[in-house]
PDB file of all heavy atoms in Angstrom:
ATOM      1  N   VAL A   7      63.866 -64.684  47.259  1.00 95.00           N
ATOM      2  CA  VAL A   7      64.204 -64.062  46.063  1.00 95.00           C
ATOM      3  C   VAL A   7      63.859 -62.639  46.134  1.00 95.00           C
ATOM      4  O   VAL A   7      62.701 -62.289  46.401  1.00 95.00           O
ATOM      5  CB  VAL A   7      63.346 -64.791  44.915  1.00 95.00           C
ATOM      6  CG1 VAL A   7      63.616 -63.996  43.604  1.00 95.00           C
ATOM      7  CG2 VAL A   7      63.749 -66.219  44.773  1.00 95.00           C
ATOM      8  N   LEU A   8      64.840 -61.754  45.934  1.00 96.00           N
ATOM      9  CA  LEU A   8      64.683 -60.387  46.085  1.00 96.00           C
ATOM     10  C   LEU A   8      64.233 -59.753  44.778  1.00 96.00           C
ATOM     11  O   LEU A   8      64.846 -59.952  43.683  1.00 96.00           O
ATOM     12  CB  LEU A   8      66.001 -59.670  46.519  1.00 96.00           C
ATOM     13  CG  LEU A   8      66.073 -58.145  46.588  1.00 96.00           C
ATOM     14  CD1 LEU A   8      65.025 -57.700  47.613  1.00 96.00           C
ATOM     15  CD2 LEU A   8      67.330 -57.603  46.931  1.00 96.00           C
ATOM     16  N   ILE A   9      63.086 -58.982  44.785  1.00 96.00           N
ATOM     17  CA  ILE A   9      62.585 -58.342  43.606  1.00 96.00           C
ATOM     18  C   ILE A   9      62.585 -56.740  44.054  1.00 96.00           C
ATOM     19  O   ILE A   9      61.856 -56.363  44.846  1.00 96.00           O
ATOM     20  CB  ILE A   9      61.198 -58.706  43.184  1.00 96.00           C
ATOM     21  CG1 ILE A   9      61.197 -60.212  42.871  1.00 96.00           C
ATOM     22  CG2 ILE A   9      60.683 -57.918  41.988  1.00 96.00           C
ATOM     23  CD1 ILE A   9      59.820 -60.739  42.529  1.00 96.00           C
ATOM     24  N   SER A  10      63.482 -55.987  43.382  1.00 96.00           N
ATOM     25  CA  SER A  10      63.567 -54.591  43.667  1.00 96.00           C
ATOM     26  C   SER A  10      63.031 -53.846  42.585  1.00 96.00           C
ATOM     27  O   SER A  10      63.605 -53.907  41.438  1.00 96.00           O
ATOM     28  CB  SER A  10      65.103 -54.209  43.958  1.00 96.00           C
ATOM     29  OG  SER A  10      65.586 -54.810  45.078  1.00 96.00           O
ATOM     30  N   LEU A  11      61.878 -53.096  42.782  1.00 95.00           N
ATOM     31  CA  LEU A  11      61.304 -52.340  41.798  1.00 95.00           C
ATOM     32  C   LEU A  11      61.599 -50.822  42.026  1.00 95.00           C
ATOM     33  O   LEU A  11      61.150 -50.310  43.034  1.00 95.00           O
ATOM     34  CB  LEU A  11      59.735 -52.593  41.787  1.00 95.00           C
ATOM     35  CG  LEU A  11      59.365 -54.105  41.656  1.00 95.00           C
ATOM     36  CD1 LEU A  11      57.871 -54.260  41.723  1.00 95.00           C
ATOM     37  CD2 LEU A  11      59.917 -54.712  40.429  1.00 95.00           C
ATOM     38  N   TYR A  12      62.181 -50.198  40.945  1.00 95.00           N
ATOM     39  CA  TYR A  12      62.546 -48.806  41.157  1.00 95.00           C
ATOM     40  C   TYR A  12      61.472 -47.903  40.605  1.00 95.00           C
ATOM     41  O   TYR A  12      61.283 -47.874  39.414  1.00 95.00           O
ATOM     42  CB  TYR A  12      63.918 -48.580  40.445  1.00 95.00           C
ATOM     43  CG  TYR A  12      65.068 -49.192  41.062  1.00 95.00           C
ATOM     44  CD1 TYR A  12      65.386 -50.543  40.796  1.00 95.00           C
ATOM     45  CD2 TYR A  12      65.883 -48.456  41.921  1.00 95.00           C
ATOM     46  CE1 TYR A  12      66.453 -51.093  41.505  1.00 95.00           C
ATOM     47  CE2 TYR A  12      66.996 -48.986  42.531  1.00 95.00           C
ATOM     48  CZ  TYR A  12      67.214 -50.358  42.330  1.00 95.00           C
ATOM     49  OH  TYR A  12      68.262 -51.005  43.045  1.00 95.00           O
ATOM     50  N   VAL A  13      60.876 -47.118  41.475  1.00 95.00           N
ATOM     51  CA  VAL A  13      59.748 -46.231  41.047  1.00 95.00           C
ATOM     52  C   VAL A  13      60.133 -44.957  40.388  1.00 95.00           C
ATOM     53  O   VAL A  13      59.309 -44.259  39.934  1.00 95.00           O
ATOM     54  CB  VAL A  13      58.834 -45.955  42.254  1.00 95.00           C
ATOM     55  CG1 VAL A  13      58.381 -47.244  42.966  1.00 95.00           C
ATOM     56  CG2 VAL A  13      59.583 -45.102  43.366  1.00 95.00           C
ATOM     57  N   ASP A  14      61.462 -44.667  40.363  1.00 94.00           N
ATOM     58  CA  ASP A  14      61.910 -43.444  39.718  1.00 94.00           C
ATOM     59  C   ASP A  14      62.725 -43.761  38.458  1.00 94.00           C
ATOM     60  O   ASP A  14      63.445 -42.940  37.991  1.00 94.00           O
ATOM     61  CB  ASP A  14      62.660 -42.623  40.696  1.00 94.00           C
ATOM     62  CG  ASP A  14      63.873 -43.206  41.393  1.00 94.00           C
ATOM     63  OD1 ASP A  14      64.117 -44.470  41.070  1.00 94.00           O
ATOM     64  OD2 ASP A  14      64.584 -42.626  42.228  1.00 94.00           O
ATOM     65  N   ASP A  15      62.747 -44.974  37.983  1.00 93.00           N
ATOM     66  CA  ASP A  15      63.373 -45.314  36.768  1.00 93.00           C
ATOM     67  C   ASP A  15      62.827 -44.597  35.589  1.00 93.00           C
ATOM     68  O   ASP A  15      61.642 -44.740  35.273  1.00 93.00           O
ATOM     69  CB  ASP A  15      63.309 -46.893  36.537  1.00 93.00           C
ATOM     70  CG  ASP A  15      64.269 -47.378  35.416  1.00 93.00           C
ATOM     71  OD1 ASP A  15      64.553 -46.623  34.530  1.00 93.00           O
ATOM     72  OD2 ASP A  15      64.632 -48.513  35.532  1.00 93.00           O
ATOM     73  N   LYS A  16      63.612 -43.827  34.880  1.00 93.00           N
ATOM     74  CA  LYS A  16      63.146 -42.962  33.742  1.00 93.00           C
ATOM     75  C   LYS A  16      63.188 -43.592  32.441  1.00 93.00           C
ATOM     76  O   LYS A  16      62.816 -42.908  31.385  1.00 93.00           O
ATOM     77  CB  LYS A  16      63.901 -41.627  33.771  1.00 93.00           C
ATOM     78  CG  LYS A  16      63.734 -40.777  34.988  1.00 93.00           C
ATOM     79  CD  LYS A  16      62.384 -40.368  35.207  1.00 93.00           C
ATOM     80  CE  LYS A  16      62.204 -39.456  36.476  1.00 93.00           C
ATOM     81  NZ  LYS A  16      60.813 -39.074  36.752  1.00 93.00           N
ATOM     82  N   LYS A  17      63.582 -44.860  32.280  1.00 93.00           N
ATOM     83  CA  LYS A  17      63.535 -45.501  30.988  1.00 93.00           C
ATOM     84  C   LYS A  17      62.134 -45.686  30.456  1.00 93.00           C
ATOM     85  O   LYS A  17      61.208 -46.004  31.229  1.00 93.00           O
ATOM     86  CB  LYS A  17      64.256 -46.904  31.177  1.00 93.00           C
ATOM     87  CG  LYS A  17      65.629 -46.911  31.438  1.00 93.00           C
ATOM     88  CD  LYS A  17      66.204 -48.272  31.674  1.00 93.00           C
ATOM     89  CE  LYS A  17      67.645 -48.220  32.074  1.00 93.00           C
ATOM     90  NZ  LYS A  17      68.125 -49.684  32.451  1.00 93.00           N
ATOM     91  N   LYS A  18      62.026 -45.293  29.203  1.00 94.00           N
ATOM     92  CA  LYS A  18      60.672 -45.324  28.544  1.00 94.00           C
ATOM     93  C   LYS A  18      60.203 -46.834  28.334  1.00 94.00           C
ATOM     94  O   LYS A  18      60.989 -47.700  27.952  1.00 94.00           O
ATOM     95  CB  LYS A  18      60.754 -44.643  27.196  1.00 94.00           C
ATOM     96  CG  LYS A  18      60.878 -43.070  27.276  1.00 94.00           C
ATOM     97  CD  LYS A  18      59.593 -42.463  27.651  1.00 94.00           C
ATOM     98  CE  LYS A  18      59.687 -40.920  27.594  1.00 94.00           C
ATOM     99  NZ  LYS A  18      58.446 -40.286  27.870  1.00 94.00           N
ATOM    100  N   LEU A  19      58.894 -46.990  28.546  1.00 93.00           N
ATOM    101  CA  LEU A  19      58.323 -48.198  28.159  1.00 93.00           C
ATOM    102  C   LEU A  19      58.056 -48.341  26.716  1.00 93.00           C
ATOM    103  O   LEU A  19      57.855 -47.174  26.133  1.00 93.00           O
ATOM    104  CB  LEU A  19      56.964 -48.409  28.944  1.00 93.00           C
ATOM    105  CG  LEU A  19      57.053 -48.683  30.338  1.00 93.00           C
ATOM    106  CD1 LEU A  19      55.572 -48.501  31.006  1.00 93.00           C
ATOM    107  CD2 LEU A  19      57.507 -50.094  30.728  1.00 93.00           C
ATOM    108  N   PRO A  20      58.147 -49.445  26.060  1.00 93.00           N
ATOM    109  CA  PRO A  20      57.727 -49.554  24.710  1.00 93.00           C
ATOM    110  C   PRO A  20      56.394 -49.053  24.425  1.00 93.00           C
ATOM    111  O   PRO A  20      55.465 -49.079  25.422  1.00 93.00           O
ATOM    112  CB  PRO A  20      57.858 -50.986  24.364  1.00 93.00           C
ATOM    113  CG  PRO A  20      58.774 -51.612  25.428  1.00 93.00           C
ATOM    114  CD  PRO A  20      58.511 -50.764  26.640  1.00 93.00           C
ATOM    115  N   GLU A  21      56.072 -48.433  23.361  1.00 92.00           N
ATOM    116  CA  GLU A  21      54.764 -47.881  23.061  1.00 92.00           C
ATOM    117  C   GLU A  21      53.564 -48.872  23.360  1.00 92.00           C
ATOM    118  O   GLU A  21      52.551 -48.441  23.939  1.00 92.00           O
ATOM    119  CB  GLU A  21      54.647 -47.347  21.609  1.00 92.00           C
ATOM    120  CG  GLU A  21      55.441 -46.110  21.312  1.00 92.00           C
ATOM    121  CD  GLU A  21      54.891 -44.908  21.855  1.00 92.00           C
ATOM    122  OE1 GLU A  21      53.556 -44.893  22.145  1.00 92.00           O
ATOM    123  OE2 GLU A  21      55.555 -43.907  22.010  1.00 92.00           O
ATOM    124  N   ASN A  22      53.788 -50.124  23.005  1.00 92.00           N
ATOM    125  CA  ASN A  22      52.690 -50.989  23.160  1.00 92.00           C
ATOM    126  C   ASN A  22      52.505 -51.455  24.698  1.00 92.00           C
ATOM    127  O   ASN A  22      51.509 -52.167  25.049  1.00 92.00           O
ATOM    128  CB  ASN A  22      52.944 -52.306  22.347  1.00 92.00           C
ATOM    129  CG  ASN A  22      54.236 -53.004  22.666  1.00 92.00           C
ATOM    130  OD1 ASN A  22      55.141 -52.433  23.260  1.00 92.00           O
ATOM    131  ND2 ASN A  22      54.288 -54.331  22.504  1.00 92.00           N
ATOM    132  N   GLU A  23      53.422 -51.012  25.571  1.00 92.00           N
ATOM    133  CA  GLU A  23      53.247 -51.324  27.024  1.00 92.00           C
ATOM    134  C   GLU A  23      52.838 -50.105  27.775  1.00 92.00           C
ATOM    135  O   GLU A  23      52.562 -50.183  28.974  1.00 92.00           O
ATOM    136  CB  GLU A  23      54.655 -51.922  27.543  1.00 92.00           C
ATOM    137  CG  GLU A  23      55.023 -53.207  26.968  1.00 92.00           C
ATOM    138  CD  GLU A  23      56.311 -53.715  27.628  1.00 92.00           C
ATOM    139  OE1 GLU A  23      56.663 -53.316  28.689  1.00 92.00           O
ATOM    140  OE2 GLU A  23      56.960 -54.608  26.979  1.00 92.00           O
ATOM    141  N   GLN A  24      52.726 -48.922  27.156  1.00 93.00           N
ATOM    142  CA  GLN A  24      52.256 -47.791  27.865  1.00 93.00           C
ATOM    143  C   GLN A  24      50.701 -47.836  28.015  1.00 93.00           C
ATOM    144  O   GLN A  24      50.041 -48.382  27.095  1.00 93.00           O
ATOM    145  CB  GLN A  24      52.681 -46.519  27.088  1.00 93.00           C
ATOM    146  CG  GLN A  24      54.150 -46.296  27.095  1.00 93.00           C
ATOM    147  CD  GLN A  24      54.565 -45.023  26.311  1.00 93.00           C
ATOM    148  OE1 GLN A  24      53.767 -44.133  26.113  1.00 93.00           O
ATOM    149  NE2 GLN A  24      55.844 -44.933  25.890  1.00 93.00           N
ATOM    150  N   TYR A  25      50.229 -47.316  29.124  1.00 93.00           N
ATOM    151  CA  TYR A  25      48.803 -47.360  29.382  1.00 93.00           C
ATOM    152  C   TYR A  25      48.438 -46.193  30.235  1.00 93.00           C
ATOM    153  O   TYR A  25      49.199 -45.510  30.758  1.00 93.00           O
ATOM    154  CB  TYR A  25      48.478 -48.731  29.964  1.00 93.00           C
ATOM    155  CG  TYR A  25      49.099 -48.962  31.312  1.00 93.00           C
ATOM    156  CD1 TYR A  25      48.400 -48.666  32.503  1.00 93.00           C
ATOM    157  CD2 TYR A  25      50.397 -49.461  31.494  1.00 93.00           C
ATOM    158  CE1 TYR A  25      48.900 -48.839  33.767  1.00 93.00           C
ATOM    159  CE2 TYR A  25      50.929 -49.634  32.729  1.00 93.00           C
ATOM    160  CZ  TYR A  25      50.197 -49.293  33.895  1.00 93.00           C
ATOM    161  OH  TYR A  25      50.757 -49.542  35.074  1.00 93.00           O
ATOM    162  N   VAL A  26      47.070 -46.085  30.509  1.00 93.00           N
ATOM    163  CA  VAL A  26      46.557 -45.112  31.439  1.00 93.00           C
ATOM    164  C   VAL A  26      46.184 -45.688  32.712  1.00 93.00           C
ATOM    165  O   VAL A  26      45.483 -46.820  32.755  1.00 93.00           O
ATOM    166  CB  VAL A  26      45.375 -44.437  30.808  1.00 93.00           C
ATOM    167  CG1 VAL A  26      44.709 -43.433  31.757  1.00 93.00           C
ATOM    168  CG2 VAL A  26      45.573 -43.677  29.454  1.00 93.00           C
ATOM    169  N   SER A  27      46.711 -45.203  33.817  1.00 90.00           N
ATOM    170  CA  SER A  27      46.501 -45.849  35.168  1.00 90.00           C
ATOM    171  C   SER A  27      45.027 -45.882  35.567  1.00 90.00           C
ATOM    172  O   SER A  27      44.420 -44.780  35.447  1.00 90.00           O
ATOM    173  CB  SER A  27      47.339 -45.153  36.138  1.00 90.00           C
ATOM    174  OG  SER A  27      46.994 -45.551  37.485  1.00 90.00           O
ATOM    175  N   GLU A  28      44.579 -46.953  36.018  1.00 90.00           N
ATOM    176  CA  GLU A  28      43.270 -47.050  36.588  1.00 90.00           C
ATOM    177  C   GLU A  28      43.096 -46.311  38.017  1.00 90.00           C
ATOM    178  O   GLU A  28      42.133 -45.917  38.348  1.00 90.00           O
ATOM    179  CB  GLU A  28      42.769 -48.418  36.844  1.00 90.00           C
ATOM    180  CG  GLU A  28      42.585 -49.313  35.518  1.00 90.00           C
ATOM    181  CD  GLU A  28      42.332 -50.716  35.789  1.00 90.00           C
ATOM    182  OE1 GLU A  28      42.166 -51.119  37.057  1.00 90.00           O
ATOM    183  OE2 GLU A  28      42.186 -51.476  34.860  1.00 90.00           O
ATOM    184  N   THR A  29      44.313 -46.178  38.590  1.00 87.00           N
ATOM    185  CA  THR A  29      44.323 -45.584  39.945  1.00 87.00           C
ATOM    186  C   THR A  29      44.478 -44.078  39.939  1.00 87.00           C
ATOM    187  O   THR A  29      43.687 -43.379  40.621  1.00 87.00           O
ATOM    188  CB  THR A  29      45.617 -46.133  40.729  1.00 87.00           C
ATOM    189  OG1 THR A  29      45.603 -47.514  40.713  1.00 87.00           O
ATOM    190  CG2 THR A  29      45.507 -45.667  42.197  1.00 87.00           C
ATOM    191  N   THR A  30      45.322 -43.479  39.023  1.00 87.00           N
ATOM    192  CA  THR A  30      45.476 -42.138  39.035  1.00 87.00           C
ATOM    193  C   THR A  30      45.028 -41.372  37.755  1.00 87.00           C
ATOM    194  O   THR A  30      44.775 -40.270  37.700  1.00 87.00           O
ATOM    195  CB  THR A  30      47.031 -41.774  39.114  1.00 87.00           C
ATOM    196  OG1 THR A  30      47.607 -42.359  37.967  1.00 87.00           O
ATOM    197  CG2 THR A  30      47.599 -42.359  40.338  1.00 87.00           C
ATOM    198  N   GLY A  31      44.647 -42.198  36.753  1.00 90.00           N
ATOM    199  CA  GLY A  31      44.197 -41.687  35.426  1.00 90.00           C
ATOM    200  C   GLY A  31      45.259 -41.030  34.639  1.00 90.00           C
ATOM    201  O   GLY A  31      44.959 -40.479  33.636  1.00 90.00           O
ATOM    202  N   LYS A  32      46.551 -41.185  35.069  1.00 90.00           N
ATOM    203  CA  LYS A  32      47.700 -40.632  34.364  1.00 90.00           C
ATOM    204  C   LYS A  32      48.268 -41.617  33.372  1.00 90.00           C
ATOM    205  O   LYS A  32      48.139 -42.842  33.537  1.00 90.00           O
ATOM    206  CB  LYS A  32      48.837 -40.204  35.286  1.00 90.00           C
ATOM    207  CG  LYS A  32      48.286 -39.075  36.230  1.00 90.00           C
ATOM    208  CD  LYS A  32      49.519 -38.683  37.142  1.00 90.00           C
ATOM    209  CE  LYS A  32      49.076 -37.452  38.056  1.00 90.00           C
ATOM    210  NZ  LYS A  32      50.114 -37.134  39.014  1.00 90.00           N
ATOM    211  N   LYS A  33      48.896 -41.129  32.241  1.00 93.00           N
ATOM    212  CA  LYS A  33      49.607 -41.940  31.306  1.00 93.00           C
ATOM    213  C   LYS A  33      50.884 -42.580  31.966  1.00 93.00           C
ATOM    214  O   LYS A  33      51.718 -41.903  32.547  1.00 93.00           O
ATOM    215  CB  LYS A  33      49.896 -41.187  30.102  1.00 93.00           C
ATOM    216  CG  LYS A  33      50.569 -41.997  28.932  1.00 93.00           C
ATOM    217  CD  LYS A  33      49.524 -42.828  28.262  1.00 93.00           C
ATOM    218  CE  LYS A  33      50.129 -43.621  27.056  1.00 93.00           C
ATOM    219  NZ  LYS A  33      50.366 -42.726  25.911  1.00 93.00           N
ATOM    220  N   ILE A  34      51.041 -43.856  31.866  1.00 94.00           N
ATOM    221  CA  ILE A  34      52.226 -44.611  32.369  1.00 94.00           C
ATOM    222  C   ILE A  34      53.150 -44.733  31.227  1.00 94.00           C
ATOM    223  O   ILE A  34      52.879 -45.582  30.324  1.00 94.00           O
ATOM    224  CB  ILE A  34      51.778 -45.924  32.951  1.00 94.00           C
ATOM    225  CG1 ILE A  34      50.746 -45.750  34.035  1.00 94.00           C
ATOM    226  CG2 ILE A  34      52.986 -46.659  33.570  1.00 94.00           C
ATOM    227  CD1 ILE A  34      51.090 -44.848  35.183  1.00 94.00           C
ATOM    228  N   LYS A  35      54.195 -43.923  31.210  1.00 94.00           N
ATOM    229  CA  LYS A  35      55.200 -43.921  30.111  1.00 94.00           C
ATOM    230  C   LYS A  35      56.499 -44.543  30.476  1.00 94.00           C
ATOM    231  O   LYS A  35      57.196 -44.976  29.542  1.00 94.00           O
ATOM    232  CB  LYS A  35      55.387 -42.460  29.672  1.00 94.00           C
ATOM    233  CG  LYS A  35      54.134 -41.815  29.204  1.00 94.00           C
ATOM    234  CD  LYS A  35      54.524 -40.350  28.775  1.00 94.00           C
ATOM    235  CE  LYS A  35      53.299 -39.610  28.188  1.00 94.00           C
ATOM    236  NZ  LYS A  35      53.565 -38.251  27.774  1.00 94.00           N
ATOM    237  N   THR A  36      56.915 -44.623  31.715  1.00 94.00           N
ATOM    238  CA  THR A  36      58.275 -45.113  32.039  1.00 94.00           C
ATOM    239  C   THR A  36      58.222 -46.386  32.964  1.00 94.00           C
ATOM    240  O   THR A  36      57.069 -46.639  33.550  1.00 94.00           O
ATOM    241  CB  THR A  36      59.004 -44.030  32.852  1.00 94.00           C
ATOM    242  OG1 THR A  36      58.392 -43.771  34.100  1.00 94.00           O
ATOM    243  CG2 THR A  36      59.062 -42.741  31.949  1.00 94.00           C
ATOM    244  N   ILE A  37      59.315 -46.994  33.196  1.00 94.00           N
ATOM    245  CA  ILE A  37      59.399 -48.146  33.964  1.00 94.00           C
ATOM    246  C   ILE A  37      59.085 -47.748  35.479  1.00 94.00           C
ATOM    247  O   ILE A  37      58.374 -48.474  36.149  1.00 94.00           O
ATOM    248  CB  ILE A  37      60.712 -48.846  33.916  1.00 94.00           C
ATOM    249  CG1 ILE A  37      60.953 -49.493  32.525  1.00 94.00           C
ATOM    250  CG2 ILE A  37      61.028 -49.890  35.026  1.00 94.00           C
ATOM    251  CD1 ILE A  37      62.377 -49.997  32.260  1.00 94.00           C
ATOM    252  N   GLY A  38      59.535 -46.614  35.908  1.00 94.00           N
ATOM    253  CA  GLY A  38      59.342 -46.098  37.228  1.00 94.00           C
ATOM    254  C   GLY A  38      57.778 -45.854  37.432  1.00 94.00           C
ATOM    255  O   GLY A  38      57.275 -46.206  38.468  1.00 94.00           O
ATOM    256  N   ASN A  39      57.122 -45.262  36.465  1.00 94.00           N
ATOM    257  CA  ASN A  39      55.700 -45.048  36.493  1.00 94.00           C
ATOM    258  C   ASN A  39      54.985 -46.316  36.607  1.00 94.00           C
ATOM    259  O   ASN A  39      54.043 -46.519  37.440  1.00 94.00           O
ATOM    260  CB  ASN A  39      55.234 -44.375  35.207  1.00 94.00           C
ATOM    261  CG  ASN A  39      55.714 -43.031  34.951  1.00 94.00           C
ATOM    262  OD1 ASN A  39      55.663 -42.463  33.835  1.00 94.00           O
ATOM    263  ND2 ASN A  39      56.036 -42.275  36.046  1.00 94.00           N
ATOM    264  N   LYS A  40      55.414 -47.356  36.002  1.00 95.00           N
ATOM    265  CA  LYS A  40      54.729 -48.733  35.987  1.00 95.00           C
ATOM    266  C   LYS A  40      54.800 -49.210  37.385  1.00 95.00           C
ATOM    267  O   LYS A  40      53.781 -49.711  37.920  1.00 95.00           O
ATOM    268  CB  LYS A  40      55.437 -49.579  35.040  1.00 95.00           C
ATOM    269  CG  LYS A  40      54.885 -51.037  34.966  1.00 95.00           C
ATOM    270  CD  LYS A  40      55.664 -51.868  33.980  1.00 95.00           C
ATOM    271  CE  LYS A  40      55.290 -53.354  34.100  1.00 95.00           C
ATOM    272  NZ  LYS A  40      56.048 -54.194  33.135  1.00 95.00           N
ATOM    273  N   TRP A  41      56.084 -49.222  37.973  1.00 95.00           N
ATOM    274  CA  TRP A  41      56.142 -49.882  39.340  1.00 95.00           C
ATOM    275  C   TRP A  41      55.503 -49.017  40.456  1.00 95.00           C
ATOM    276  O   TRP A  41      54.920 -49.590  41.386  1.00 95.00           O
ATOM    277  CB  TRP A  41      57.597 -50.127  39.641  1.00 95.00           C
ATOM    278  CG  TRP A  41      58.300 -51.130  38.736  1.00 95.00           C
ATOM    279  CD1 TRP A  41      59.530 -50.916  38.082  1.00 95.00           C
ATOM    280  CD2 TRP A  41      57.730 -52.371  38.170  1.00 95.00           C
ATOM    281  NE1 TRP A  41      59.715 -51.989  37.238  1.00 95.00           N
ATOM    282  CE2 TRP A  41      58.694 -52.837  37.232  1.00 95.00           C
ATOM    283  CE3 TRP A  41      56.556 -53.004  38.432  1.00 95.00           C
ATOM    284  CZ2 TRP A  41      58.473 -54.089  36.641  1.00 95.00           C
ATOM    285  CZ3 TRP A  41      56.369 -54.201  37.696  1.00 95.00           C
ATOM    286  CH2 TRP A  41      57.335 -54.737  36.891  1.00 95.00           C
ATOM    287  N   SER A  42      55.517 -47.665  40.285  1.00 94.00           N
ATOM    288  CA  SER A  42      54.844 -46.821  41.213  1.00 94.00           C
ATOM    289  C   SER A  42      53.316 -47.178  41.143  1.00 94.00           C
ATOM    290  O   SER A  42      52.676 -47.239  42.145  1.00 94.00           O
ATOM    291  CB  SER A  42      55.128 -45.370  40.926  1.00 94.00           C
ATOM    292  OG  SER A  42      54.457 -44.542  41.810  1.00 94.00           O
ATOM    293  N   ASP A  43      52.835 -47.213  39.947  1.00 94.00           N
ATOM    294  CA  ASP A  43      51.366 -47.506  39.769  1.00 94.00           C
ATOM    295  C   ASP A  43      51.024 -48.920  40.319  1.00 94.00           C
ATOM    296  O   ASP A  43      50.001 -49.135  40.939  1.00 94.00           O
ATOM    297  CB  ASP A  43      50.991 -47.430  38.288  1.00 94.00           C
ATOM    298  CG  ASP A  43      49.530 -47.626  38.059  1.00 94.00           C
ATOM    299  OD1 ASP A  43      48.719 -46.835  38.618  1.00 94.00           O
ATOM    300  OD2 ASP A  43      49.142 -48.564  37.282  1.00 94.00           O
ATOM    301  N   PHE A  44      52.020 -49.873  40.095  1.00 94.00           N
ATOM    302  CA  PHE A  44      51.765 -51.205  40.580  1.00 94.00           C
ATOM    303  C   PHE A  44      51.654 -51.183  42.154  1.00 94.00           C
ATOM    304  O   PHE A  44      50.855 -51.923  42.668  1.00 94.00           O
ATOM    305  CB  PHE A  44      52.965 -52.084  40.127  1.00 94.00           C
ATOM    306  CG  PHE A  44      52.921 -53.508  40.452  1.00 94.00           C
ATOM    307  CD1 PHE A  44      52.220 -54.430  39.792  1.00 94.00           C
ATOM    308  CD2 PHE A  44      53.518 -53.924  41.724  1.00 94.00           C
ATOM    309  CE1 PHE A  44      52.208 -55.754  40.148  1.00 94.00           C
ATOM    310  CE2 PHE A  44      53.504 -55.216  42.080  1.00 94.00           C
ATOM    311  CZ  PHE A  44      52.795 -56.207  41.301  1.00 94.00           C
ATOM    312  N   GLN A  45      52.572 -50.467  42.750  1.00 95.00           N
ATOM    313  CA  GLN A  45      52.568 -50.400  44.162  1.00 95.00           C
ATOM    314  C   GLN A  45      51.222 -49.785  44.687  1.00 95.00           C
ATOM    315  O   GLN A  45      50.609 -50.254  45.615  1.00 95.00           O
ATOM    316  CB  GLN A  45      53.728 -49.487  44.730  1.00 95.00           C
ATOM    317  CG  GLN A  45      53.826 -49.418  46.215  1.00 95.00           C
ATOM    318  CD  GLN A  45      54.895 -48.540  46.745  1.00 95.00           C
ATOM    319  OE1 GLN A  45      55.598 -47.894  45.893  1.00 95.00           O
ATOM    320  NE2 GLN A  45      55.214 -48.538  47.988  1.00 95.00           N
ATOM    321  N   MET A  46      50.757 -48.595  44.054  1.00 94.00           N
ATOM    322  CA  MET A  46      49.526 -48.060  44.471  1.00 94.00           C
ATOM    323  C   MET A  46      48.289 -48.889  44.288  1.00 94.00           C
ATOM    324  O   MET A  46      47.342 -49.006  45.105  1.00 94.00           O
ATOM    325  CB  MET A  46      49.346 -46.658  43.782  1.00 94.00           C
ATOM    326  CG  MET A  46      50.289 -45.589  44.340  1.00 94.00           C
ATOM    327  SD  MET A  46      49.940 -43.940  43.645  1.00 94.00           S
ATOM    328  CE  MET A  46      50.584 -44.125  41.956  1.00 94.00           C
TER     329      MET A  46
END
C-alpha cells in the first residue's frame, strides 16, 4: 500500500489541527508542514 506524503503541500490545516512542533518549535500550519515534521 503506497502512502505518499507531500512535505511541500501548502493547504492550510484546520485551526484545531494546527500545533507547535516538538522537534523544531515552529507552528505547524499546513499539510506539508505536518508531514515534514512527521518525517523529522
